[in-house]
Amino acid sequence: MEDKIVIGQEEWCGLEELGLPAIKARVDSGAKTSSLHAFNIHQFEEAGKRYVHFDIHPIQNDRKTIQSCRGLVVDKRNVKSSSGDKERRPVIKTPITLGGETWDIEVTLTNRDTMGYRMLIGREAMANRVLIDPDRSFCLGTVSTDELKQYYGTVRPKKDGLRIVVLASNPELYSNKRLIEAGEERGHEMRFVNISQCYMNISSNNPEVHYRGGQLLDDVDAIIPRIKPAMTFYGCSVARQFESTGAYCLNDSVSIARSRDKLRSLQMLSTKRVPMPTTGFANSPMDTTDIIKMVGGTPLVIKLLEGTQGKGVVLAETVKAAESVISAFKSLQANILVQEFIKEADGKDIRCLVIDGKVVGSIQREAAAGEFRANLHLGGSASPVKITSAERKIAVVAAKAVGLQVAGVDIIRSKSGPKVLEINSSPGLEGIESVTEKDIAGLMIECIERKLRERT
Ligand code: ADP
């Protein structure tokens, strides 16, 4: 017992073979295996052995400093993610140095950080070697910021990195933060630009976007528009202006505008034979009776044409209720869709995230008790789901029909097969990234890289 090293709940350790002389780790005897928060993970074979190449941010709260590492893969392990989903992750073997002693440990590579720590030391790595004093931290000493700088330097954006603008309204939103982070991780110069603070020179010989304070936003390689519904008109004009300056737009302004109009996008889906619930649209209340019949009678769903996040989606159980809701909406001059109610969906729908013609992630959303709308904002919950090839296909066709490179396609499972409910041009990343544990923001950045390569 005397020769065991005493450590606290957090310690600095070294993983020299990975090029990580100092990394702050959380000591977690509740976890069996140790883990490293890695990204850009790629496995390859060399001389009959399996290796993994990955990047890591070695310094806590610093996403600009990146260290590229390579390790020998000794195993693949099922790791339970926060969503309860099992995932196979590579395990590497590497020496750890702690308190002047060095020994081999196994480490899984994960793509989630644990409370900001880049490393977690689990039981296996500590067995017979250490004693934990949970009241203490850094029993083995600390590493200064200067030392860290010496070890890792400060990584500037890559010389051939792109200048990418996230065009949105709130820099604090999870999705916007993740896009900036994912771009920086890949060596690009990322900038958040607030839509409402842009103004434009629309003369034909000199299209320009200016930013509040007088700055000219030129030299932008690509933009990622994340336009909130209330900003659709102005946001699409700014995106269009960036397009005319030659910047690549991940979701062009025309497709975003189309997707914001439920009727227009459903009409586009229908021309591509994408299955959807029977849907009616009429101008005059005189046609209400026929419209109700057309969608198969009640119960039916009435939707405001410009509603989002489930607001303005109403379930009418009886003909009387349907007639009075339709007449109330009409008296407010609101445009509405009347739609067959898919009862057997049982308050569930599927969100498929499509990037560049591929479904890169999907989740099932389930409505809160007593609610038929599965929107997460209305208390719905999300869980992993395996989609069928038919669902995958209609999600891809739907995104293509509207012209979106990045789309959240909502699908409902009916007796007669999957049906598309709607298509979203700024799908939120939080639910899908946390449930699937996939780096969706990174895939969006990689899509831009690909498209710009294709252009040249
Ligand atoms: P929004 O764009 O406001 O989210 P949706 O058309 O996606 O509007 O509807 C919100 C939710 O209501 C869906 O996620 C789904 O759970 C439920 N829903 C919508 N249309 C139907 C329908 N025809 N049948 C059954 N449930 C529906």
Side-chain angles (χ1 to χ4, degrees), residues 147 204 226 262 340:
E147 281 171 292
S204 59
R226 304 279 306 177
K262 274 189 207 205
E340 154 199 17

Side-chain angles (χ1 to χ4, degrees), residues 351-362:
R351 159 62 60 92
C352 293
L353 211 300
V354 180
I355 300 180
D356 198 15
K358 273 205 195 98
V359 176
V360 296
S362 45

Side-chain angles (χ1 to χ4, degrees), residues 262 277 301 303 307-313 339-343 345 347-349 365 367 372-375 410 412 421-422 424:
K262 274 189 207 205
V301 177
K303 298 184 182 183
T308 55
Q309 301 185 344
K311 292 173 221 144
V313 178
Q339 197 167 66
E340 154 199 17
F341 176 57
I342 312 290
K343 188 163 185 280
K348 297 189 190 99
D349 74 359
R365 303 181 300 183
F372 77 101
R373 296 164 298 177
N375 304 70
D410 294 344
I412 195 160
L421 280 182
E422 69 156 353
N424 193 315

Side-chain angles (χ1 to χ4, degrees), residues 28-34 77 106 121-125:
D28 182 3
S29 57
K32 185 165 171 244
T33 316
S34 306
R77 215 162 277 172
E106 291 191 348
I121 306 180
R123 280 196 307 279
E124 258 176 7

Side-chain angles (χ1 to χ4, degrees), residues 63-349:
R63 293 193 175 262
K64 292 212 164 95
T65 307
I66 299 171
Q67 186 71 18
S68 290
C69 313
R70 173 190 146 122
L72 179 69
V73 178
V74 290
D75 198 4
K76 275 198 175 173
R77 215 162 277 172
N78 281 328
V79 178
K80 229 189 200 167
S81 68
S82 50
S83 59
D85 208 11
K86 273 193 189 155
E87 208 174 291
R88 279 179 89 67
R89 302 255 172 82
V91 181
I92 56 167
K93 192 172 199 166
T94 195
I96 187 172
T97 303
L98 206 58
E101 287 193 29
T102 303
W103 66 93
D104 278 350
I105 63 164
E106 291 191 348
V107 185
T108 51
L109 300 179
T110 70
N111 56 4
R112 292 273 117 201
D113 51 8
T114 317
M115 296 174 289
Y117 293 92
R118 310 302 197 216
M119 182 170 184
L120 204 132
I121 306 180
R123 280 196 307 279
E124 258 176 7
M126 299 186 283
N128 300 318
R129 299 245 178 206
V130 306
L131 282 177
I132 307 168
D133 182 346
D135 294 331
R136 295 171 65 193
S137 278
F138 309 118
C139 301
L140 307 172
T142 57
V143 176
S144 70
T145 314
D146 280 349
E147 281 171 292
L148 285 177
K149 258 197 195 131
Q150 259 177 18
Y151 290 146
Y152 300 115
T154 311
V155 178
R156 298 265 155 248
K158 280 194 293 195
K159 273 215 184 70
D160 59 349
L162 302 167
R163 281 171 301 260
I164 304 177
V165 158
V166 174
L167 183 67
S169 297
N170 181 356
E172 294 309 316
L173 278 189
Y174 174 94
S175 304
N176 297 335
K177 284 207 285 208
R178 281 284 299 123
L179 287 165
I180 299 269
E181 192 178 287
E184 285 176 347
E185 279 175 1
R186 284 161 182 77
H188 304 303
E189 199 181 310
M190 300 299 294
R191 175 155 189 200
F192 180 87
V193 166
N194 195 320
I195 297 169
S196 64
Q197 294 178 23
C198 291
Y199 54 97
M200 303 168 262
N201 177 347
I202 53 172
S203 19
S204 59
N205 59 345
N206 196 21
E208 283 172 349
V209 183
H210 295 249
Y211 205 38
R212 186 168 299 164
Q215 201 191 348
L216 186 63
L217 297 176
D218 54 357
D219 265 355
V220 173
D221 295 305
I223 67 164
I224 307 176
R226 304 279 306 177
I227 303 171
K228 61 179 180 183
M231 277 303 239
T232 300
F233 179 76
Y234 196 66
C236 284
S237 339
V238 178
R240 202 158 47 236
Q241 186 72 5
F242 270 114
E243 284 161 14
S244 61
T245 68
Y248 172 75
C249 201
L250 187 64
N251 279 354
D252 61 72
S253 53
V254 173
S255 313
I256 298 174
R258 277 181 199 140
S259 73
R260 285 292 153 85
D261 179 338
K262 274 189 207 205
L263 176 64
R264 187 168 175 202
S265 49
L266 287 182
Q267 283 175 320
M268 296 187 85
L269 298 188
S270 116
T271 60
K272 296 289 171 202
R273 300 272 171 270
V274 174
M276 63 184 78
T278 310
T279 307
F281 182 66
N283 178 47
S284 163
M286 282 162 65
D287 302 315
T288 299
T289 312
D290 274 350
I291 281 273
I292 294 176
K293 268 198 212 130
M294 196 180 82
V295 303
T298 53
L300 54 76
V301 177
I302 299 157
K303 298 184 182 183
L304 271 178
L305 218 48
E306 262 107 40
T308 55
Q309 301 185 344
K311 292 173 221 144
V313 178
V314 182
L315 174 64
E317 302 270 7
T318 62
V319 173
K320 262 208 150 39
E323 281 169 352
S324 49
V325 174
I326 294 172
S327 117
F329 275 144
K330 281 283 165 199
S331 68
L332 294 168
Q333 319 288 322
N335 280 317
I336 49 167
L337 293 177
V338 179
Q339 197 167 66
E340 154 199 17
F341 176 57
I342 312 290
K343 188 163 185 280
E344 61 275 21
D346 200 19
K348 297 189 190 99
D349 74 359

